[in-house]
Each structure stands twice: as C-alpha cells, then as structure tokens.
Amino acid sequence: TVRPFNEIPGLWKNSLANLYTFWRMDGFRNIHRIMVHNFNTFGPIYREKIGNHESVNIIRPEDAAILFKAEGHYPKRLRVEAWTSYRDYRNRKYGVLLKDGEDWKHNRIILNREVISPKVQGNFVPLLDEVGQDFVARVYKKIERSGKNEWTTDLSHELFKYALESVSVVLYGERMGLLLDYIDPDAQHFIDCITLMFKTTSPMLYLPPALLRCLGAKIWKDHIDAWDGIFNQADICIQNIYRQLRKAPEADGKYPGVLASLLMLDKLSIEDIKASITELMAGGVDTTSITLLWTLYELARHPDLQEEIRAEILAARVASKGDMVQMLKMVPLLKGALKETLRLHPVAVSLQRYITEDIVIQNYHIPAGTLVQLGLYAMGRDHRVFTHPDQYRPSRWLRSENRYFRSLGFGFGPRQCLGRRIAETEMQLFLIHMLENFRFEKQRQVEVRNTFELIIIPEKPIMLTVKPL
Ligand code: HEM
Ligand code: 2DC
C-alpha cells in the first residue's frame, strides 16, 4: 500500500511562515545544515515549501537512483531565477546551463563532443600540465621571497587565478598569463565578479528577482553589475579568438581550444556558442579552486594520508615514463581524495530534477512534474550511507564500501556537469605537481566550517603553510 503525496512529512502548508523561519535561522547561509536538520526531524523524505519554492527532498542513494531514472530525455533542474532574469533583462541568450528541452539537448550534444568526450581529454592534458608547472614555479618564488623557506598564506586568491588560467587555456587555446608577477586588473575584476555573482544569487533563490528589481534593491544591482563584468570580459576573449580565426584560419596542427573548435565546426549559432562559452568560463573558477583548497586543507590535517598520496604520485611518475595521460590512470588514491573532498564539501548542496513520470519513494507516491531534490551535502554526512562519515578517508572509494549512487559531486546522467572532465583533469594535475614539490601544513587544528553562498565555500579563510620537500 503506497501512501499518498499529501502524507509526506514536512513543512509545506504555510509557505510564508516557513520563509520567515528560514530567514530567522539565517537560512540563506545555512541551507546545508537546515537540510540535515530536516532529514533528522522528518526522516529520509520530506516535503517543503519556502516562499513559492516547493520540493520533495530525499537522501538515500537507492532513492537517488529512482529519481534519476525518472528524469526523462530533457532533464530539468531547479531554475535559478536570478540568472535567467539577468539574461532576459539584458536580452542575452541562455547557454547550456539555463536552456531546457530540445534546444538544450541540441546544444549539449554538440558541446559534449568538444568538452567532455574522451576524445578531447588528450588535448587538455598538455595544456593543463603546463599551467600546473607554472603554478609550482610561482610558489617557489613566493617561498624564496618570504626568506623563511616556507610560505604561510590563504591560497584562495592564487587558486582562483590557477583555475581561471586553466579553464581559459582550454577554452581559448591560449595562455592568459595570470601566474606571472603582474596581475591583469581585468582578469582580477572578472574573478571578483564571479564571487559577487554567486554571493548575490543565494538570497534571490527565495526573494523573486523581479520584485527586487522593482524595489531598486542593492542586491539586484550588484547582481547585474557582476554578470555585466563577467559577460564583458568573456566577450573580449571570444572576440579576440574570433578575429584571429578570420585572419588566419589555417590550422598548424596545434589544438586550437574549445571555442575555435566550435566555431570551425559551424553547428551552433555564434550567439549560442558565446552564451555557453561565457558560462563555461564563469563556471570554471570558484568550483575547482575551492575544491582544491578544501583538499589541501584536508591533506594538511592528515599528514600520513598526504604522504601516502605523495608516494602513489611518485610511483606513478616513474611508471608512466613522462606520459601524463598514462600517469593520470595510475593515481586512484588521489582521485579518491577528490571524491572525498566533494563528499564533505560538495560544490552543490543538492541535485534536483523535475520528474517526468510518477514514482514511489520511501513508499510515498510522487506525481510527475514534482521538483525532487537529492540532499547531496546531507547524504555525504549520513552514517547510514557512509561508515564514519565524519572521517576524511579517500580509500573508501577504492574498495570495501558500497559506491552505488554515492559519488554524485558532478551530478548525474546527460545533465551532469559539462565541465567535469576539465575540472577533474585540472584538479588532478594541480595536486600531482604540488604534492611532488611541497608539503602542506596547518597551524592549529581548528575546524573550518562550510557556508553557503550558492555554492558551498569555507566559512573563513584557510591558512596553510607550504614547505619545499
Ligand atoms: C553543472 C558540479 C566544475 C560548468 C554542474 C552541476 C553540478 C556541478 C553538481 C549540476 C549537475 C546536475 O544537475 O546533474 C561541479 C563541480 C565542479 C564543477 C563539483 C568542480 C569541482 C565546473 C567547471 C565548469 C563547469 C570547471 C566549466 C568549465 C558547468 C556547466 C553546468 C554544470 C556549464 C551545466 C550543464 C547543463 O546544464 O547541461 N556542475 N562543477 N563546472 N557545470 Fe559544473
Ligand atoms: C544551489 O537550491 C542551491 O556548477 C539551490 O558551474 C539549487 C541549485 C541549483 C543549481 C545549482 C546550484 C544549486 C549550485 C551551483 C550549480 C547550480 C547548477 C550549476 C552550478 C551547481 C545547488 C555550478 C556552480 C556552475 C555555475 C556556472 C555559472 C557560473 C555560469
């Protein structure tokens, strides 16, 4: 006997009161902890309505499997109103991130071939490897200048530059030079705009942007300025490549980057290409840099583990004889560390889909069209799903533990993260180079908590000490 939709536990009857409670609990920055609290109160499924947001929330991997089987041919996630409002307001096209239906599918299939297929992976590796080596050289310089044979710092700003340099070289086939001594103010402005864009998005998940716009709210203005800065900078990069291609279309056999490949392929309109390239460029900065920062933080807190991963890297370096693509296949523990980071510090607090058919989860009927959210952060910390969930243990991803629908940091299926291959390659190469050269230490064992600014980020700066080996 399946129980009806209306019997799912939770707070969904008084949406305005819920919005008020949410605000009182500082929900805008605490969404991840509130979800954990809700699962503890209501069990593995609950219904929720905050403002005009209605959803069913789930936490079990087996239920995630049911959800993704019902996502249909054009999987649709929660629409981030602030992002679509900006594009509508400025009359810009949606890219693959914001499109839906047929149009999304058409664009996504073409982008997949140039961004995420195994065929292009080999093109990215040498480009990203070079960026990793340059980063190491930069760190040596910083250590030298400190005069102490070590460097204690909040690495986030350096990591933002590393991430932007990496995603840019892949998209445009050219170096931006962000790891040189001179900091290009335009690039720095672009980085600042992305952070501001994320920060101003989260309150607008619950307060409709249209309303804020009418009220002339500061948050809406800041959001517009942030996206304007992002689009202007991306436009400059795109125009630059476009012009070069028209002047000298002759290829010299060198991989030209994602943008030039898409332009030459000529299967998407220029406007569609621009929209998605801008999203890729913007999506490629805070996501990977913060995941790397969390990973270094965890490795600094676990010196033995750091040593173990370093040994794996050194062995892989020898065995692969200089072939980086080969080497990346020989570092399972390193890959486990990245999965473990995303388990405890997922970029996305939840994954969501509008289901296209009726399903039954935890013995409740859920009708087609419902927004179902998998609480990714809550799942990562649930002891029913992971043994000793509070412990950072990369080896859990190698064997022993059940991995069914548990590694979902990049989402799932045809709508999963488009930047996944870029992100993974870039992060693996970074850690390989850094661990081959430096040891990472932390001053005091104070825990840094997660906070929500649309993506999950550290609540306060993480100070690390970098020492040459
Ligand atoms: C979508 C995570 C890095 C571009 C997503 C989604 C997640 C995610 C969870 C939603 C997937 C779903 O709904 O199933 C991450 C994580 C990253 C990362 C954890 C790094 C640690 C990147 C990078 C780029 C990027 C580097 C760009 C180069 C995108 C785009 C989408 C997306 C364009 C939307 C795809 C679509 O709607 O078809 N990402 N991401 N991400 N990500 Fe990432
Ligand atoms: C935020 O309740 C919380 O990868 C909301 O690179 C539900 C939600 C919907 C979509 C998610 C978002 C959350 C977090 C950030 C994500 C986004 C989809 C893509 C985006 C996960 C979980 C991200 C960071 C992209 C961003 C690209 C953009 C800058 C152009």
Side-chain angles (χ1 to χ4, degrees):
T1 58
V2 173
R3 283 176 288 178
F5 188 52
N6 279 341
E7 286 180 16
I8 300 178
L11 293 166
W12 47 273
K13 289 193 174 130
N14 193 342
S15 57
L16 262 175
N18 295 341
L19 180 58
Y20 177 70
T21 322
F22 188 74
W23 175 74
R24 283 266 316 265
M25 290 172 79
D26 198 15
F28 297 143
R29 322 190 92 247
N30 270 320
I31 197 169
H32 51 303
R33 276 187 283 273
I34 291 179
M35 286 179 87
V36 171
H37 173 82
N38 286 337
F39 284 116
N40 286 338
T41 311
F42 300 118
I45 184 167
Y46 70 88
R47 233 176 117 177
E48 173 182 67
K49 190 165 184 195
I50 303 176
N52 61 356
H53 255 270
E54 197 173 348
S55 65
V56 168
N57 293 264
I58 59 172
I59 187 170
R60 301 266 162 94
E62 307 75 50
D63 299 340
I66 300 173
L67 162 61
F68 287 114
K69 270 178 203 118
E71 68 174 5
H73 294 297
Y74 310 113
K76 193 166 148 30
R77 72 172 81 85
L78 178 75
R79 186 184 162 93
V80 179
E81 212 89 43
W83 297 352
T84 52
S85 295
Y86 169 80
R87 283 146 180 89
D88 297 347
Y89 179 66
R90 286 285 192 238
N91 236 321
R92 295 189 190 271
K93 277 205 107 173
Y94 295 179
V96 71
L97 171 75
L98 301 173
K99 285 179 188 289
D100 278 313
E102 244 350 306
D103 188 25
W104 167 77
K105 189 85 195 174
H106 173 68
N107 278 257
R108 174 83 198 212
I109 284 176
I110 293 163
L111 289 164
N112 277 347
R113 278 209 300 263
E114 302 302 326
V115 182
I116 200 171
S117 79
K119 159 201 127 191
V120 291
Q121 169 87 354
N123 296 327
F124 299 165
V125 169
L127 296 173
L128 294 171
D129 191 40
E130 194 186 285
V131 182
Q133 289 175 19
D134 289 356
F135 194 85
V136 166
R138 183 172 170 85
V139 173
Y140 273 123
K141 255 196 205 162
K142 296 274 185 187
I143 292 174
E144 209 170 287
R145 277 183 211 161
S146 78
K148 286 192 296 193
N149 203 33
E150 63 176 48
W151 182 38
T152 299
T153 183
D154 165 14
L155 265 180
S156 61
H157 304 283
E158 294 299 324
L159 287 167
F160 286 146
K161 285 191 271 179
Y162 170 78
L164 179 54
E165 183 78 23
S166 293
V167 73
S168 302
V169 76
V170 166
L171 295 179
Y172 307 120
E174 278 178 1
R175 292 295 298 268
M176 299 235 289
L178 299 177
L179 303 179
L180 304 174
D181 272 332
Y182 162 81
I183 305 157
D184 175 6
D186 290 339
Q188 189 55 55
H189 182 64
F190 181 78
I191 290 171
D192 296 341
C193 282
I194 296 173
T195 308
L196 181 64
M197 181 276 291
F198 280 128
K199 200 186 169 82
T200 51
T201 302
S202 55
M204 282 195 269
L205 286 174
Y206 302 96
L207 308 170
L211 176 71
L212 294 168
R213 194 174 116 196
C214 287
L215 297 173
K218 176 164 188 315
I219 188 148
W220 168 257
K221 287 187 191 136
D222 286 349
H223 193 67
I224 295 293
D225 288 345
W227 275 121
D228 280 345
I230 292 168
F231 273 89
N232 289 340
Q233 183 65 15
D235 266 349
I236 292 171
C237 299
I238 294 169
Q239 282 306 324
N240 185 23
I241 297 298
Y242 187 73
R243 240 180 268 124
Q244 280 181 34
L245 214 58
R246 290 187 44 175
K247 260 196 269 164
E250 241 50 69
D252 50 4
K254 184 170 140 266
Y255 175 65
V258 172
L259 172 58
S261 302
L262 287 170
L263 289 168
M264 291 188 293
L265 196 63
D266 199 25
K267 287 210 173 138
L268 292 177
S269 72
I270 306 262
E271 289 311 307
D272 274 340
I273 294 177
K274 277 171 109 175
S276 285
I277 290 287
T278 304
E279 288 172 357
L280 284 167
M281 191 177 168
V285 180
D286 295 34
T287 47
T288 50
S289 52
I290 291 187
T291 306
L292 285 172
L293 184 60
W294 282 123
T295 306
L296 294 177
Y297 163 80
E298 295 290 358
L299 295 183
R301 297 206 303 165
H302 301 88
D304 295 346
L305 173 66
Q306 185 182 143
E307 215 44 63
E308 203 182 328
I309 295 178
R310 183 172 293 116
E312 179 188 75
I313 291 170
L314 296 179
R317 172 68 76 189
V318 174
S320 61
K321 304 192 189 90
D323 180 343
M324 283 316 280
V325 177
Q326 257 333 99
M327 186 171 175
L328 291 179
K329 292 179 185 152
M330 301 173 172
V331 286
L333 192 61
L334 176 67
K335 291 177 183 174
L338 285 166
K339 285 188 185 164
E340 194 66 346
T341 301
L342 288 175
R343 178 178 70 81
L344 289 170
H345 315 282
V347 170
V349 66
S350 71
L351 303 175
Q352 335 79 39
R353 293 292 185 265
Y354 288 91
I355 53 171
T356 58
E357 52 189 277
D358 289 25
I359 54 176
V360 174
I361 290 185
Q362 297 291 327
N363 213 28
Y364 288 103
H365 174 249
I366 306 172
T370 306
L371 179 68
V372 180
Q373 296 209 69
L374 168 69
L376 196 60
Y377 175 92
M379 182 180 91
R381 288 165 184 261
D382 192 307
H383 66 88
R384 289 172 213 87
V385 182
F386 295 97
T387 53
H388 301 294
D390 48 318
Q391 290 175 15
Y392 187 82
R393 269 200 347 219
S395 63
R396 73 169 82 237
W397 298 100
L398 300 185
R399 55 201 107 93
S400 58
E401 282 187 37
N402 183 354
R403 297 193 298 267
Y404 182 71
F405 276 90
R406 278 161 174 77
S407 174
L408 294 173
F410 290 98
F412 180 83
R415 189 116 216 193
Q416 69 178 277
C417 178
L418 176 61
R420 179 175 189 160
R421 286 285 112 75
I422 299 176
E424 288 174 338
T425 312
E426 165 191 331
M427 295 192 297
Q428 289 160 13
L429 287 168
F430 177 93
L431 291 169
I432 286 177
H433 286 297
M434 291 298 275
L435 290 170
E436 275 179 328
N437 287 277
F438 310 107
R439 184 176 329 272
F440 296 87
E441 291 173 7
K442 245 192 115 285
Q443 311 307 76
R444 280 169 295 120
Q445 288 293 10
V446 273
E447 192 156 318
V448 179
R449 305 214 314 161
N450 295 293
T451 190
F452 176 80
E453 282 190 3
L454 198 82
I455 58 174
I456 303 258
I457 61 170
E459 192 177 46
K460 56 178 195 239
I462 293 177
M463 298 301 287
L464 295 172
T465 301
V466 191
K467 295 181 176 172
L469 283 178

